[in-house]
Short mmCIF file of all heavy atoms in Angstrom, two decimals:
data_model
loop_
_atom_site.label_atom_id
_atom_site.label_comp_id
_atom_site.label_asym_id
_atom_site.label_seq_id
_atom_site.Cartn_x
_atom_site.Cartn_y
_atom_site.Cartn_z
N LEU H 105 2.75 20.64 2.04
CA LEU H 105 3.38 19.62 1.21
C LEU H 105 2.62 18.31 1.34
O LEU H 105 2.33 17.86 2.45
CB LEU H 105 4.84 19.41 1.64
CG LEU H 105 5.61 18.26 0.97
CD1 LEU H 105 5.75 18.48 -0.53
CD2 LEU H 105 6.98 18.07 1.62
N ILE H 106 2.28 17.72 0.20
CA ILE H 106 1.64 16.40 0.16
C ILE H 106 2.63 15.42 -0.45
O ILE H 106 3.22 15.69 -1.49
CB ILE H 106 0.35 16.41 -0.70
CG1 ILE H 106 -0.73 17.29 -0.07
CG2 ILE H 106 -0.18 14.98 -0.89
CD1 ILE H 106 -1.95 17.50 -0.96
N ILE H 107 2.81 14.27 0.23
CA ILE H 107 3.59 13.17 -0.34
C ILE H 107 2.62 12.02 -0.57
O ILE H 107 1.99 11.53 0.37
CB ILE H 107 4.72 12.72 0.61
CG1 ILE H 107 5.61 13.91 0.99
CG2 ILE H 107 5.55 11.62 -0.05
CD1 ILE H 107 6.63 13.58 2.07
N THR H 108 2.47 11.59 -1.82
CA THR H 108 1.55 10.49 -2.10
C THR H 108 2.28 9.15 -1.95
O THR H 108 3.50 9.07 -2.10
CB THR H 108 0.96 10.56 -3.52
OG1 THR H 108 1.96 10.15 -4.48
CG2 THR H 108 0.47 11.96 -3.84
N VAL H 109 1.52 8.12 -1.64
CA VAL H 109 2.05 6.76 -1.55
C VAL H 109 1.13 5.82 -2.32
O VAL H 109 -0.07 5.75 -2.03
CB VAL H 109 2.16 6.29 -0.08
CG1 VAL H 109 2.67 4.84 -0.02
CG2 VAL H 109 3.09 7.19 0.72
N ASP H 110 1.68 5.16 -3.33
CA ASP H 110 0.93 4.15 -4.10
C ASP H 110 -0.16 4.78 -4.97
O ASP H 110 -1.12 4.13 -5.33
CB ASP H 110 0.32 3.11 -3.14
CG ASP H 110 -0.13 1.84 -3.86
OD1 ASP H 110 0.48 1.49 -4.87
OD2 ASP H 110 -1.10 1.22 -3.38
N LEU H 111 -0.02 6.05 -5.29
CA LEU H 111 -0.98 6.72 -6.17
C LEU H 111 -0.40 8.05 -6.65
O LEU H 111 0.62 8.50 -6.14
CB LEU H 111 -2.31 6.97 -5.44
CG LEU H 111 -2.28 7.75 -4.11
CD1 LEU H 111 -2.30 9.26 -4.34
CD2 LEU H 111 -3.47 7.37 -3.25
N GLY H 112 -1.06 8.64 -7.63
CA GLY H 112 -0.70 10.00 -8.04
C GLY H 112 -0.11 10.14 -9.43
O GLY H 112 -0.11 11.23 -9.98
N ILE H 113 0.40 9.04 -10.01
CA ILE H 113 1.13 9.17 -11.27
C ILE H 113 0.21 9.53 -12.44
O ILE H 113 0.68 9.95 -13.50
CB ILE H 113 1.95 7.89 -11.57
CG1 ILE H 113 3.12 8.20 -12.54
CG2 ILE H 113 1.07 6.77 -12.10
CD1 ILE H 113 4.14 9.16 -12.01
N THR H 114 -1.12 9.38 -12.25
CA THR H 114 -2.06 9.79 -13.29
C THR H 114 -2.96 10.95 -12.83
O THR H 114 -3.94 11.27 -13.50
CB THR H 114 -2.97 8.60 -13.70
OG1 THR H 114 -3.66 8.11 -12.55
CG2 THR H 114 -2.15 7.48 -14.32
N ASN H 115 -2.63 11.58 -11.72
CA ASN H 115 -3.48 12.63 -11.15
C ASN H 115 -2.98 14.03 -11.48
O ASN H 115 -2.84 14.89 -10.61
CB ASN H 115 -3.59 12.46 -9.63
CG ASN H 115 -4.33 11.20 -9.21
OD1 ASN H 115 -3.96 10.57 -8.24
ND2 ASN H 115 -5.36 10.83 -9.94
N ASN H 116 -2.73 14.28 -12.76
CA ASN H 116 -2.18 15.59 -13.16
C ASN H 116 -3.09 16.75 -12.79
O ASN H 116 -2.63 17.80 -12.34
CB ASN H 116 -1.85 15.60 -14.65
CG ASN H 116 -3.05 15.29 -15.53
OD1 ASN H 116 -3.98 14.62 -15.09
ND2 ASN H 116 -3.03 15.75 -16.76
N MET H 117 -4.41 16.57 -12.95
CA MET H 117 -5.35 17.66 -12.65
C MET H 117 -5.35 17.99 -11.16
O MET H 117 -5.33 19.16 -10.77
CB MET H 117 -6.76 17.28 -13.11
CG MET H 117 -6.88 17.01 -14.60
SD MET H 117 -6.54 18.49 -15.59
CE MET H 117 -8.01 19.45 -15.24
N ALA H 118 -5.37 16.95 -10.33
CA ALA H 118 -5.40 17.16 -8.88
C ALA H 118 -4.10 17.80 -8.39
O ALA H 118 -4.12 18.67 -7.51
CB ALA H 118 -5.66 15.84 -8.16
N VAL H 119 -2.98 17.38 -8.95
CA VAL H 119 -1.70 17.97 -8.56
C VAL H 119 -1.66 19.45 -8.93
O VAL H 119 -1.19 20.29 -8.16
CB VAL H 119 -0.52 17.20 -9.20
CG1 VAL H 119 0.80 17.95 -8.98
CG2 VAL H 119 -0.43 15.79 -8.62
N SER H 120 -2.19 19.79 -10.11
CA SER H 120 -2.25 21.19 -10.53
C SER H 120 -3.14 22.00 -9.60
O SER H 120 -2.83 23.15 -9.25
CB SER H 120 -2.77 21.29 -11.97
OG SER H 120 -1.89 20.65 -12.86
N THR H 121 -4.26 21.39 -9.16
CA THR H 121 -5.16 22.05 -8.21
C THR H 121 -4.45 22.32 -6.89
O THR H 121 -4.58 23.40 -6.30
CB THR H 121 -6.41 21.17 -7.96
OG1 THR H 121 -7.12 21.01 -9.18
CG2 THR H 121 -7.33 21.80 -6.92
N ALA H 122 -3.69 21.33 -6.42
CA ALA H 122 -2.94 21.51 -5.17
C ALA H 122 -1.94 22.65 -5.30
O ALA H 122 -1.84 23.50 -4.40
CB ALA H 122 -2.22 20.21 -4.80
N LEU H 123 -1.23 22.68 -6.40
CA LEU H 123 -0.22 23.72 -6.61
C LEU H 123 -0.86 25.10 -6.61
O LEU H 123 -0.35 26.04 -5.99
CB LEU H 123 0.51 23.48 -7.93
CG LEU H 123 1.73 24.37 -8.19
CD1 LEU H 123 2.84 24.06 -7.20
CD2 LEU H 123 2.24 24.19 -9.62
N SER H 124 -2.02 25.23 -7.27
CA SER H 124 -2.71 26.52 -7.30
C SER H 124 -3.25 26.91 -5.93
O SER H 124 -3.54 28.07 -5.67
CB SER H 124 -3.84 26.50 -8.33
OG SER H 124 -4.83 25.56 -7.96
N SER H 125 -3.38 25.91 -5.03
CA SER H 125 -3.83 26.16 -3.66
C SER H 125 -2.66 26.45 -2.71
O SER H 125 -2.86 26.62 -1.51
CB SER H 125 -4.62 24.96 -3.13
OG SER H 125 -5.71 24.64 -3.95
N GLY H 126 -1.45 26.45 -3.26
CA GLY H 126 -0.27 26.72 -2.44
C GLY H 126 0.30 25.49 -1.77
O GLY H 126 1.05 25.60 -0.80
N ILE H 127 -0.04 24.30 -2.28
CA ILE H 127 0.46 23.05 -1.69
C ILE H 127 1.35 22.35 -2.72
O ILE H 127 0.92 22.06 -3.84
CB ILE H 127 -0.70 22.11 -1.29
CG1 ILE H 127 -1.63 22.79 -0.29
CG2 ILE H 127 -0.15 20.81 -0.70
CD1 ILE H 127 -2.86 21.96 0.07
N ASP H 128 2.59 22.07 -2.34
CA ASP H 128 3.49 21.30 -3.18
C ASP H 128 3.16 19.82 -3.08
O ASP H 128 2.65 19.35 -2.05
CB ASP H 128 4.95 21.52 -2.77
CG ASP H 128 5.45 22.92 -3.10
OD1 ASP H 128 4.88 23.55 -4.01
OD2 ASP H 128 6.40 23.38 -2.44
N VAL H 129 3.45 19.07 -4.15
CA VAL H 129 3.15 17.63 -4.17
C VAL H 129 4.38 16.85 -4.63
O VAL H 129 5.01 17.19 -5.63
CB VAL H 129 1.97 17.30 -5.11
CG1 VAL H 129 1.69 15.79 -5.09
CG2 VAL H 129 0.72 18.07 -4.70
N ILE H 130 4.71 15.81 -3.86
CA ILE H 130 5.70 14.81 -4.26
C ILE H 130 4.95 13.51 -4.49
O ILE H 130 4.23 13.03 -3.61
CB ILE H 130 6.77 14.61 -3.18
CG1 ILE H 130 7.61 15.89 -3.01
CG2 ILE H 130 7.67 13.42 -3.51
CD1 ILE H 130 8.52 15.87 -1.80
N VAL H 131 5.06 12.95 -5.67
CA VAL H 131 4.36 11.72 -6.02
C VAL H 131 5.30 10.54 -5.88
O VAL H 131 6.40 10.55 -6.42
CB VAL H 131 3.83 11.79 -7.47
CG1 VAL H 131 3.29 10.41 -7.92
CG2 VAL H 131 2.74 12.84 -7.60
N THR H 132 4.87 9.52 -5.13
CA THR H 132 5.57 8.23 -5.13
C THR H 132 4.54 7.18 -5.56
O THR H 132 3.46 7.09 -4.97
CB THR H 132 6.18 7.86 -3.76
OG1 THR H 132 5.17 7.37 -2.87
CG2 THR H 132 6.89 9.06 -3.13
N ASP H 133 4.87 6.42 -6.58
CA ASP H 133 3.89 5.49 -7.16
C ASP H 133 4.63 4.41 -7.93
O ASP H 133 5.83 4.51 -8.18
CB ASP H 133 2.93 6.26 -8.08
CG ASP H 133 1.60 5.55 -8.31
OD1 ASP H 133 1.46 4.38 -7.90
OD2 ASP H 133 0.70 6.16 -8.92
#
Side-chain angles (χ1 to χ4, degrees):
L105 174 63
I106 294 172
I107 305 172
T108 76
V109 178
D110 196 31
L111 55 84
I113 203 63
T114 57
N115 293 143
N116 58 334
M117 299 295 289
V119 170
S120 298
T121 298
L123 188 66
S124 64
S125 303
I127 302 175
D128 290 336
V129 180
I130 294 169
V131 171
T132 78
D133 202 351

